Amino acid sequence: MSVAARLLSGAHDVNKKLRDILHSGIKHDVEEHNLAVWDRGVFLNELRKQGLVLKTDINGALDGRLAASKGLTQGTYTGTRMALTEIYSLVEDAFVARFNARGLDPIIPTKRDLTQKQELYQWSDPSVDGFPPHLQVVPPDQQDPNIFDAETLAFVQSIAQIFSFAVPDECVTQGTPFKGPTIADTEQYNNDNPGPKNDIMEGKNLGNESDWYSDSRFANQHLTGVNPATIRVAPAQKLSDYAAEASKQGLTDMETLLKSGKEFLIQDYSWFRQATGVSNDDHFQNIIPELVNGQPTGKFSIRYTCASVIIFQLHEDGRIHPLAITLDYKGSLDNSTTIFNRRLTPDAKAAVAEKDDWPWRYAKTCAQTADWGCHQVAVHLVDTHLIEEAVIVATNRTIPEEHLIYQLLYPHWFRTLALNAAARSTLVPAVVARLGGFGPSWPPTNTNRTFGLVNYGYKNFNFQEKYVPNDLKNRGFQIDNEVKLKYRNYPYAYAINALWGAIRDFLSSVLKTKYHSDADVQADPYIANWCVEIQTKGQIPTFPTITTVDQLVDALTMCVHIASPQHTAVNYLQNYYYNYVPAKPAALCSPLPANLQALQGYTEKELTAALPIGEDGPNLITYAASLYNVNKSRTQRENDTTNCQSIKQSAADFYSRLVELGKAFEILSAYQTEGNPEFKVLQPDLTAVSILI
């Protein structure tokens, strides 16, 4: 049997197994699940229902007492948190404490009516801090612009300074993960000093792979790495432009391939220039001053980044291969430096071994630097944290706490507001803006071009087009719930699509206990107000104007998707892909080559000079089981009020579906090309419920 026939046979077997799993009905009894911990959001909802809430006065201010006369007789919850670094957890805890003190993101729920919440949850003025609309925190009639005391601010700024000065001006040669002048030295240290096994990949990172630098590893990161939802089918005009550039460089075989081949994909970061206002004649440069007590000392270092474009070809056997990289797109290929791969296919050989092809390895490093900026600012911060915050603020301002929509969404918001405040105050201006190469970094205000990326990403976020089925289709991936051989190395697509379906089915079954027709939706004034608030005050005009049950189900599915599986996908692989800095640096430490001729002369020396070497929660399974358990023994009054028995059954069905999906995802991961990293980031027992980091 030929290789192609065996692979096709394998695809048939995978599809059969998946069909057996996904269409076998409800098989897993949630009663058999050993619920060792509560889901935090479900637990807080339950405290509220039981009256275990902090009392407020007539104005909604906390008075420090519990509303209930007695507490619960039994029950516990131990929070779990995935992949938090110790340094940032200090910053996080400082902000969490202040938000808890204000009752904005409390450990113990507080009960407020809608008018009181509208006073508390007020929108920021984007012109003041340069960020998209978010929770203001301080009422406008207060003179003090910040609820955080000077001591706390000094603390978090000091922590942020530790972050930024993890990038030294010079490479120390002893006692660091980069103790020698060669890439091999960094590899050796990385392998000899494994990280703690407390993250989703059990301490491993990409640098532990002997071929971490390879085209295969590079390409697969753009399918199942930290940016799994930005790659798309390459436009015909782009392919024509690259074919013309290949012809210009005398690369006839590459020109022919680009003209006559098929299944081309693109990662395009050329939007960086439009977002930041850097002209095509200029370059990205970040002058980073050394700070002491928040003031520059006169010493500085320089970092660079780029707006790369990468062309890939997806082969029928599932392998993805990079063909061309434009280091820094400046309006056209004529004005940019573009290099083509010497190897036209994954199996092709060239006169220069892949490991020793330093110009090509340098180009891939540029592309990874661009990918770092895209992920940190747009894909992670904006598309999950900031979009979800707009939903949180709008919901608190328009939906009463006892409303079913609020009850369904609240468990997915634990700590998000406090973390976002920490990111805006510290992480973005004092860490990301300083580590990256967009510049300028001083003073650390909204003059930094990183803010341009943030606001561009927010304004261009299309809420409905980002629904998973729409997004996959728009980017050219026809998943259709059938595992195709050519997508075998894109388990993210199948996993995220399946989770979307499971979450949507669950929410649909719960919402239909209240909304029996479209007329019921239209008769609910809170829904209409919610939509307008998000569209206008939240500045997300692509949020739907909801008039049907299906629209309501889709919108809530998207809110849960952003906070839970999508955030998990883009967050919890960061240690694996980022901990070995040469594989994905935040910035470059030397200017980009002036032209292709200069690039073609690059050796390992130029690559190492460019590298910044020397710098040294709860899950969906628990959520479903928790929701089942808190609803299985309700009083008749409670059931009459919220239809708890129907919700209990929906949670039980959701639990069973998630367990089955876990098995399906294991099959998808195993079906990848041999040697690819195990894809388990979207396993339901690892998928976080809310944006915890």
Side-chain angles (χ1 to χ4, degrees), residues 4 38 56 131 146 159 186 231 315 370 387 399 410 453-454 473 494 517 565 579 681:
W38 285 99
T56 58
F131 282 101
N146 205 307
I159 297 296
T186 71
I231 195 168
H315 289 256
I387 293 295
I399 307 290
Y410 178 79
L453 294 177
V454 170
K473 181 179 179 180
Y494 292 105
S517 68
N579 277 5
V681 68

Side-chain angles (χ1 to χ4, degrees), residues 361-378:
R361 287 184 64 171
Y362 178 89
K364 288 189 288 187
T365 302
C366 290
Q368 296 294 60
T369 299
D371 192 68
W372 185 94
C374 178
H375 170 262
Q376 290 289 339
V377 178

Side-chain angles (χ1 to χ4, degrees), residues 215-237:
D215 288 345
S216 174
R217 299 286 183 189
F218 170 77
N220 281 330
Q221 285 186 64
H222 292 271
L223 282 177
T224 55
V226 291
N227 271 356
T230 53
I231 195 168
R232 62 180 58 247
V233 170
Q237 184 57 56

